[in-house]
Amino acid sequence: QAFFCLLLCVPWGSSCPPSCQCTERAGAKAVLCSSRHLEEIPKDIPRDAVFLKLDANSITRIPSNAFRHLSHLEELDLSRNAIEKIDRAAFKGVAAGLRTLDLSSNRIRSIPKEALLALNAKLRLANNPWHCECALQEVLWEARLDPDSVQDITCHTAPREEYVGKPLLQVLDAGVNFCSVRQRTTDVAMFVTMFGWFAMVIVYVICYVRHNRDDACRHVEYLRSLPSAQGHAE
């Protein structure tokens, strides 16, 4: 009887990852893994977790399908880590239900726009060493960013030195369009390629015409030489 009583009395927190604490917040399951020296996302997070805090760790990457089994997840805090790489499908499986996603204070320079634009969550992206580019611009315009942190999305590097150190929103408000720069670069590359092919065709046609003209001249000279040869023979 004591054994069965023990099983019935085991708290929900016993199914927690060893490095985390599990509790309830407003009747919902919360998994607290803050400041636990984690270098990767725990594999055994309970499936019915609604709140997940992984802040202040040493996580460097968010791989594909990292949270796919957490279909009830609403709030995800990954701030104050060492995240440098986020895979395209990092948030696959939680995109529909996630309400807030905190990626602030990491080492993120760039991020696939597909990873964030599929989310309905409010995003915090401040205090990262961003490289200002088209993908980041599209995230800024199309994703749901936390308005209190938008000004802290700063260009750590950029195509032009004058943008470095400035808030991305300020650069874009000044009329800069990183996507049009990329489009112009693509257009120039296509123009150069087309011009190269056109030049090759022109050279081929010229060589072909010259070759045929030389053959024609030799043939005409041969025909002209025939009567004189016949006259010598008579």
Side-chain angles (χ1 to χ4, degrees):
Q1 290 180 348
F3 176 74
F4 286 109
C5 180
L6 181 62
L7 289 179
L8 292 174
C9 294
V10 171
W12 174 78
S14 63
S15 61
C16 252
S19 56
C20 302
Q21 176 187 359
C22 295
T23 183
E24 290 199 8
R25 184 192 299 176
K29 306 289 178 66
V31 182
L32 310 178
C33 309
S34 305
S35 304
R36 299 302 175 96
H37 307 289
L38 298 174
E39 296 183 357
E40 60 181 17
I41 297 166
K43 305 292 184 184
D44 48 354
I45 297 171
R47 291 180 175 272
D48 52 354
V50 176
F51 306 100
L52 176 57
K53 287 183 68 65
L54 291 163
D55 56 304
N57 283 291
S58 302
I59 299 170
T60 59
R61 180 192 173 201
I62 307 178
S64 297
N65 302 311
F67 310 100
R68 188 172 187 176
H69 65 292
L70 305 178
S71 58
H72 300 281
L73 196 62
E74 295 182 5
E75 295 186 15
L76 176 57
D77 187 353
L78 288 158
S79 64
R80 296 185 294 151
N81 274 278
I83 298 171
E84 296 181 351
K85 180 175 176 56
I86 299 176
D87 291 356
R88 293 177 183 272
F91 305 106
K92 187 175 182 180
V94 297
L98 204 60
R99 293 191 290 110
T100 63
L101 172 60
D102 194 342
L103 292 168
S104 59
S105 301
N106 277 281
R107 300 176 184 174
I108 307 170
R109 286 178 44 81
S110 63
I111 188 169
K113 63 180 182 180
E114 296 85 358
L116 297 183
L117 294 184
L119 297 173
N120 294 318
K122 183 181 292 185
L123 300 173
R124 298 187 182 99
L125 303 175
N127 301 319
N128 281 286
W130 291 108
H131 174 64
C132 288
E133 58 180 350
C134 182
L136 182 59
Q137 175 181 320
E138 290 177 342
V139 168
L140 187 65
W141 289 142
E142 300 181 35
R144 293 183 59 232
L145 296 179
D146 182 357
D148 295 332
S149 65
V150 172
Q151 288 294 339
D152 293 322
I153 302 176
T154 304
C155 296
H156 183 73
T157 57
R160 297 177 62 175
E161 188 67 25
E162 61 189 277
Y163 307 144
V164 175
K166 293 183 178 179
L168 176 59
L169 189 61
Q170 177 183 335
V171 173
L172 297 178
D173 285 344
V176 177
N177 189 335
F178 295 106
C179 295
S180 67
V181 171
R182 185 181 68 176
Q183 183 62 43
R184 286 198 299 270
T185 302
T186 304
D187 291 344
V188 169
M190 290 181 61
F191 175 79
V192 171
T193 302
M194 292 178 63
F195 179 80
W197 280 105
F198 181 74
M200 289 177 62
V201 171
I202 294 298
V203 170
Y204 174 80
V205 170
I206 292 174
C207 292
Y208 180 79
V209 170
R210 286 182 176 178
H211 179 74
N212 286 348
R213 186 183 61 183
D214 292 341
D215 286 347
C217 290
R218 285 195 295 268
H219 186 66
V220 169
E221 291 177 359
Y222 172 74
L223 293 177
R224 288 177 177 175
S225 68
L226 289 179
S228 58
Q230 291 177 356
H232 286 297
E234 293 175 355

